């Protein structure tokens, strides 16, 4: 199986921690040159120093940008692709704050759309010409299993994730003739700072301790545990590889079997 990404340039968003960070590591392990994007320069600098190098010509770098600042994001990534075309784009950002849909403020929806749908589209539009020129492109969006089954208490998130999934499916059909694939990875509960927030919010609401709430959530998963970020990143890296050239427009849950639907 051809998993070799030597000579490919991957832009990984939300790379300073959690799933994004794990994706940066996995793609580097497959030989890609990785640009890690997030807001905190010092964290990214440290990550770049630690990213694996599998061959002499492999280089990594970072880009400071905010997915909520559309114009700033576009300007930063336009500069990046002018210097080095992006062949692999991992769209990822912090999840919207928890809370029910009923009562959610309009601004919360707009903010989540800006940081996910609009940011993903801005990044993709900037990167696609370089992918077309290379006749190779991989766009992977980190979304959520809520694409298949909305999750109670994540109203704004559920709504935004569906929009991203529908955008991605449409784009997959449009870009397939150019050798560019567009897929979504849907993490289940994964050990990152994001899941800690969600467990704490649910514990606070129910009066249970954080440990008890985590146990309850783990008991609902057939694997009886949360994922390691590297397990989610492995699916992302495969979808970015040459071996996955004929896979496009799909949603891949990496959730220990939690999603009940097909
Ligand atoms: P996380 O909060 O641990 O990390 C998010 C990353 O995005 C960080 O690097 C953060 O710095 C970056 N980021 C946040 N806001 C940003 C902004 N405005 N601009 C640029 N970068 C920004 O999240 P995670 O757990 O790694 O999850 C990644 C994605 O997967 C999120 O959308 C999350 O909701 C989703 N998800 C996570 C889980 C889980 O259990 N961890 C489950 C389902 C879906």
């Amino acid at each position: 199986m051809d998993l070799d990404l030597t000579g490919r340039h991957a832009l990984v968003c939300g790379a300073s921690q959690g799933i994004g960070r794990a994706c940066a590591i996995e793609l580097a392990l497959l030989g890609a040159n990785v640009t890690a994007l997030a807001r905190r320069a010092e964290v990214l600098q440290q990550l770049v120093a630690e990213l694996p190098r599998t061959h002499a010509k492999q280089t990594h770098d970072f880009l400071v940008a905010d997915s909520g600042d559309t114009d700033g994001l576009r300007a930063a990534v336009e500069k990046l692709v002018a210097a080095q075309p992006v062949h692999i784009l991992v769209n990822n950002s912090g999840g919207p704050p928890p809370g029910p849909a009923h009562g959610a403020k309009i601004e919360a929806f707009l903010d989540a759309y800006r940081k996910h749908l609009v940011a993903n589209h801005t990044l993709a539009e900037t990167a696609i010409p370089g992918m077309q020129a290379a006749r190779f492109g991989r766009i992977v969006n980190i979304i959520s299993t809520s694409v298949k089954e909305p999750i109670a208490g994540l109203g704004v998130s559920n709504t935004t994730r569906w929009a991203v999934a529908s955008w991605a499916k449409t784009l997959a059909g449009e870009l397939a003739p150019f050798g560019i694939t567009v897929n979504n990875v849907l993490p289940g509960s994964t050990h990152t700072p994001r899941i800690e927030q969600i467990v704490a919010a649910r514990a606070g609401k129910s009066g249970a301790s954080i440990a008890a709430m985590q146990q309850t959530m783990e008991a609902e998963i057939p694997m009886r545990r949360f994922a390691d970020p590297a397990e989610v990143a492995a699916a992302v890296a495969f979808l970015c590889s040459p071996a996955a050239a004929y896979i496009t427009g799909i949603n891949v849950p990496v959730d220990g079997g939690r999603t009940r639907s097909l």
Side-chain angles (χ1 to χ4, degrees):
M1 180 158 56
D2 185 1
L3 301 175
D4 186 14
L5 292 176
T6 302
R8 299 298 184 192
H9 177 206
L11 173 60
V12 181
C13 304
S16 61
Q17 64 183 37
I19 293 167
R21 181 186 167 89
C23 290
I25 294 169
E26 291 300 324
L27 291 170
L29 283 170
L30 296 187
N33 301 321
V34 173
T35 298
L37 182 150
R39 291 163 300 177
R40 292 170 294 166
E42 60 296 347
V43 180
L44 293 172
Q45 202 161 16
Q46 184 64 35
L47 169 65
V48 165
E50 290 169 9
L51 279 178
R53 284 171 178 78
T54 61
H55 56 94
K57 288 192 173 158
Q58 192 174 16
T59 57
H60 306 302
D61 208 343
F62 67 92
L63 191 60
V64 174
D66 184 336
S67 65
D69 169 14
T70 308
D71 292 339
L73 185 68
R74 185 186 297 108
V77 178
E78 277 175 356
K79 205 169 152 194
L80 176 74
V81 300
Q84 194 188 1
V86 167
H87 307 115
I88 295 166
L89 170 63
V90 179
N91 276 320
N92 176 51
S93 188
H102 177 50
K105 298 272 182 281
I106 300 297
E107 186 46 49
F109 284 102
L110 295 177
D111 188 54
Y113 266 63
R114 195 177 306 112
K115 287 179 178 159
H116 292 267
L117 182 68
V118 175
N120 293 359
H121 184 65
T122 302
L123 291 160
E125 288 290 282
T126 311
I128 286 166
M131 295 181 183
Q132 285 175 317
R135 304 283 308 168
F136 177 97
R138 298 284 185 269
I139 299 174
V140 179
N141 308 297
I142 311 298
I143 317 187
S144 165
T145 56
S146 62
V147 164
K148 289 182 174 282
E149 293 174 354
I151 299 171
L154 292 178
V156 172
S157 179
N158 291 339
T159 311
T160 311
R161 309 302 191 173
W162 278 42
V164 172
S166 189
W167 166 81
K169 183 69 180 170
T170 310
L171 201 60
E174 294 172 3
L175 298 180
F178 303 100
I180 302 171
T181 66
V182 186
N183 293 294
N184 303 320
V185 167
L186 316 180
S189 296
T190 307
H191 277 298
T192 71
R194 162 77 174 171
I195 197 69
E196 286 167 19
Q197 276 178 6
I198 292 176
V199 174
R202 287 194 189 176
K205 237 172 115 183
S206 69
S209 70
I210 288 181
M213 180 50 67
Q214 181 165 330
Q215 266 186 358
T216 304
M217 288 172 70
E218 285 176 333
E220 290 163 3
I221 303 167
M223 291 274 182
R224 301 285 185 265
R225 64 176 178 85
F226 290 173
D228 186 276
E231 294 174 303
V232 178
V236 174
F238 170 70
L239 289 169
C240 293
S241 73
Y246 204 62
I247 301 174
T248 196
I250 65 163
N251 293 296
V252 185
V254 183
D255 66 352
R258 188 182 69 183
T259 303
R260 309 284 174 209
S261 64
L262 289 171

